[in-house]
Amino acid sequence: MINKYKLILTLDAMGNSWSNRNATSNQNVPNGTLGPRPPQNAAQRNEINPRMLFYNSEFAWNFGENVFEGLSPYNSNALDIPPPSVVHERTVRNVVRLSKSSLQLVPSTLPKCYVLQFHFDTLVDCGILTYFLAKEFQDDHLLSFSSQCCSQPSIQYFRAGLGQTYRQGEAEALNFSKVAKESLVYRETDEYPVIVEIKCNLSNTGQAGTLGTELSSRSENSTNEEIEGYYIYLSLDKEQISSGTFPLRVIKQKIIVHGVIYELEEIYGIDSGNTATAQGCVSSTCYSEDGTNCAICLSQPRDTALLPCRHMCLCSECAQRLRFQSNSCPICRQSVQSFLQVKGLQSHKNN
Amino acid sequence: MSSLSGLPRRIIKETEKLLQDPVPGISAVPHEDNARYFNVIIQGPDSSPYEGGTFKLELFLPDDYPMAPPKVRFLTKIFHPNIDRLGRICLDILKDKWSPALQIRTVLLSIQALLSAPNPDDPLNNEAADLWKKDERRAIETAREYIRLYASE
Ligand SMILES: [Zn+2]
Ligand SMILES: [Zn+2]
């Protein structure tokens, strides 16, 4: 299975310092000499689940298996602090993968009405729901959504399998003569145009039956933590409104693991192939010149991402050197808080 | 090229690329005895005050390159607000804005761009900068005069 889809989980422990850093570091960033910076949205960072303040680690996930290891953050102001050792962090097994480019609103059977449709792979049985124009509510262990315009959606169940298609039920179609298309463009408020909820842990939802037994027997053998819920927040692009097609863009993603809610962040530059960019997974614009090699030695494959800017631009050897000699990202010059080494990238590329 | 042994792969790669795929208007050739020392020639960019000039520079890669920036200096005399009498260049990426993701190639391109766009507001050569602000036409004439005297082949 080709692995094009890798993500970091950013944890809340860093939330406050990140937004502070963003405020100061923006002034130091030159105008584009080194390529674009990944979008930083301090406002979004701030709405972080306080439960996660207990975690001070990064970890990442990867479809089908786990390969990530985090380095503990270091204090760049204290020069005499010894370099951080490699700390093995928790790993999470991602079990559902959406094809980002397939996310779109398609015409339903009724005139002027549209339903959500996308393609996905899943390694476990799962249930999918779609909310339009919904607000999010965070409980201790739960995310719930309430829609301003539509009634509670019904869940569709899917068996584990690759290459599947979700198509929202006709009864839930959004009527564009009643709801303005413009309202499906995200406005940085607490109302999200479209939210997809994927329940991956059906044994806990009372929907056990045969689906549940299969899942729980698998979980016992697994040392990995599997995600319980996967949430994708979507928006229409303003430019697309006048056109007849309605592809959707991912605004944010969250997952729940062991009752803890995490927001997912993408790593930039993991795969400079065009496929990945088309899928909206990574931005490869900074890296075109030297392919997938480290920006410093130009010879080793890159396997280390910098946080918080999330540029995956170094090999682990050069990352070690960078820790001692500089504290800014070679791509965007944002100061580096920690390093995230991603193991097993090469083996995937060769597959 | 025995001098290549012990040289970081990065420098070898950059050198190979510079020789195989040179930047238009720029040549950079490593010195026979020292692969970290480059003889550089930059042609004055078209429709700039330096059009028609051929400028020699020296570029040296210090031991801690690419963590530290290369050292670059004009050897040819030039009348430019951001280049002083000793040929030193006022360019942020050669100082605090250096990043190890930049390369010899990007540095030379930036210098070429500096010839196209002199910036008298961030002067290193005050005489040139003052004249540029007071009387740009005379400043450009002076730059051309320098080319006739020092930078013609
Ligand atoms: Zn490297
Ligand atoms: Zn960066």
Side-chain angles (χ1 to χ4, degrees):
Chain A
M1 192 179 306
I2 305 159
N3 193 330
K4 293 277 191 196
Y5 189 83
K6 300 191 178 72
L7 297 160
I8 305 186
L9 305 181
T10 61
L11 302 192
D12 295 337
M14 306 230 159
N16 286 326
S17 59
W18 279 21
S19 36
N20 292 342
R21 262 170 189 275
N22 288 343
T24 52
S25 65
N26 276 344
Q27 299 151 7
N28 301 329
V29 175
N31 40 1
T33 337
L34 291 170
R37 270 154 48 86
Q40 296 285 342
N41 191 330
Q44 287 183 18
R45 288 259 157 69
N46 279 337
E47 55 165 68
I48 281 173
N49 182 351
R51 282 201 70 217
M52 286 161 59
L53 282 167
F54 295 107
Y55 291 87
N56 189 14
S57 62
E58 303 85 31
F59 63 102
W61 73 337
N62 177 337
F63 188 63
E65 60 189 285
N66 58 77
V67 290
F68 287 80
E69 210 162 82
L71 292 176
S72 57
Y74 76 109
N75 182 349
S76 55
N77 297 324
L79 292 170
D80 51 345
I81 279 189
S85 52
V86 177
V87 180
H88 193 79
E89 302 290 359
R90 300 166 64 198
T91 52
V92 177
R93 182 168 179 255
N94 176 21
V95 289
V96 181
R97 170 171 58 183
L98 298 198
S99 158
K100 304 264 172 72
S101 58
S102 73
L103 283 158
Q104 59 177 322
L105 296 176
V106 296
S108 89
T109 47
L110 300 166
K112 294 219 160 194
C113 290
Y114 285 80
V115 292
L116 177 73
Q117 181 179 298
F118 59 85
H119 305 307
F120 67 103
D121 301 331
T122 175
L123 301 180
V124 297
D125 300 325
C126 65
I128 303 180
L129 304 97
T130 304
Y131 303 83
F132 283 122
L133 301 171
K135 285 190 174 155
E136 164 194 86
F137 298 92
Q138 278 199 15
D139 205 339
D140 260 0
H141 308 280
L142 279 176
L143 281 174
S144 55
F145 309 99
S146 99
S147 170
Q148 314 301 112
C149 67
C150 315
S151 51
Q152 179 66 20
S154 59
I155 188 166
Q156 286 183 37
Y157 292 99
F158 294 87
R159 290 266 172 199
L162 305 181
Q164 307 197 60
T165 300
Y166 168 83
R167 186 187 161 94
Q168 198 181 7
E170 298 288 330
E172 296 168 22
L174 196 65
N175 190 334
F176 276 163
S177 57
K178 286 183 185 149
V179 176
K181 290 170 196 162
E182 287 74 18
S183 62
L184 291 180
V185 178
Y186 181 54
R187 276 184 215 81
E188 311 270 330
T189 66
D190 60 346
E191 186 184 82
Y192 295 94
V194 185
I195 300 171
V196 178
E197 174 177 16
I198 304 180
K199 293 179 190 285
C200 308
N201 190 1
L202 295 176
S203 54
N204 287 353
T205 62
Q207 242 305 316
T210 49
L211 296 179
T213 34
E214 194 189 320
L215 180 68
S216 52
S217 64
R218 189 183 306 157
S219 303
E220 276 165 30
N221 298 332
S222 171
T223 53
N224 301 331
E225 296 185 73
E226 290 190 338
I227 63 173
E228 291 147 29
Y230 179 20
Y231 304 86
I232 306 101
Y233 302 71
L234 303 165
S235 168
L236 209 60
D237 264 324
K238 217 182 260 165
E239 293 78 44
Q240 293 286 350
I241 288 180
S242 50
S243 79
T245 58
F246 303 106
L248 295 160
R249 170 173 68 81
V250 176
I251 310 163
K252 68 165 91 170
Q253 304 177 80
K254 291 183 182 176
I255 60 170
I256 300 184
V257 181
H258 275 232
V260 182
I261 301 160
Y262 298 99
E263 187 167 339
L264 293 177
E265 299 277 7
E266 295 181 10
I267 298 178
Y268 295 85
I270 272 197
D271 193 336
S272 37
N274 290 331
T275 347
T277 312
Q279 285 178 344
C281 293
V282 293
S283 151
S284 61
T285 44
C286 308
Y287 310 97
S288 49
E289 197 173 319
D290 291 298
T292 56
N293 282 345
C294 165
I296 292 186
C297 64
L298 307 179
S299 351
Q300 298 293 319
R302 36 173 104 102
D303 64 3
T304 304
L306 309 181
L307 297 178
C309 71
R310 296 177 272 138
H311 277 122
M312 174 95 172
C313 56
L314 301 180
C315 71
S316 47
E317 221 173 284
C318 292
Q320 295 288 336
R321 283 206 289 159
L322 189 80
R323 289 221 316 283
F324 288 109
Q325 304 195 19
S326 158
N327 67 344
S328 59
C329 167
I331 302 300
C332 67
R333 298 197 179 94
Q334 205 177 144
S335 56
V336 178
Q337 277 192 347
S338 55
F339 295 84
L340 184 76
Q341 194 179 345
V342 182
K343 300 231 163 157
L345 268 182
Q346 270 330 91
S347 56
H348 287 294
K349 267 176 197 150
N350 297 339
N351 281 348
Chain B
M1 295 229 272
S2 60
S3 57
L4 284 185
S5 62
L7 208 60
R9 291 256 314 143
R10 148 122 186 192
I11 296 180
I12 297 171
K13 282 211 156 192
E14 279 200 65
T15 307
E16 280 171 356
K17 196 153 182 236
L18 281 169
L19 297 175
Q20 283 163 15
D21 179 21
V23 188
I26 297 177
S27 92
V29 181
H31 197 273
E32 280 174 13
D33 299 326
N34 185 351
R36 287 176 173 271
Y37 183 94
F38 289 74
N39 291 307
V40 177
I41 294 172
I42 298 182
Q43 303 295 339
D46 290 350
S47 53
S48 80
Y50 304 95
E51 183 173 356
T54 300
F55 300 93
K56 290 201 182 100
L57 297 86
E58 60 178 4
L59 182 147
F60 181 71
L61 303 175
D63 280 344
D64 46 355
Y65 178 82
M67 298 314 294
K71 299 189 187 310
V72 199
R73 191 168 78 93
F74 273 78
L75 298 173
T76 306
K77 273 178 83 109
I78 182 169
F79 189 75
H80 188 294
N82 312 109
I83 300 163
D84 73 4
R85 291 208 175 87
L86 298 172
R88 292 177 300 193
I89 305 162
C90 178
L91 192 61
D92 57 356
I93 60 161
L94 291 175
K95 296 180 185 115
D96 55 319
K97 288 293 190 291
W98 170 253
S99 150
L102 296 167
Q103 300 183 13
I104 300 172
R105 174 179 296 267
T106 35
V107 165
L108 296 179
L109 279 166
S110 301
I111 295 173
Q112 198 182 39
L114 195 64
L115 295 182
S116 294
N119 177 12
D121 293 324
D122 187 16
L124 195 62
N125 177 342
N126 284 322
E127 187 198 335
D130 289 346
L131 190 59
W132 229 276
K133 281 194 204 162
K134 266 187 262 161
D135 187 348
E136 189 174 334
R137 233 184 54 195
R138 248 189 64 214
I140 291 172
E141 269 170 31
T142 312
R144 295 233 160 94
E145 181 61 23
Y146 268 58
I147 291 172
R148 266 192 299 282
L149 290 171
Y150 309 111
S152 303
E153 277 175 302

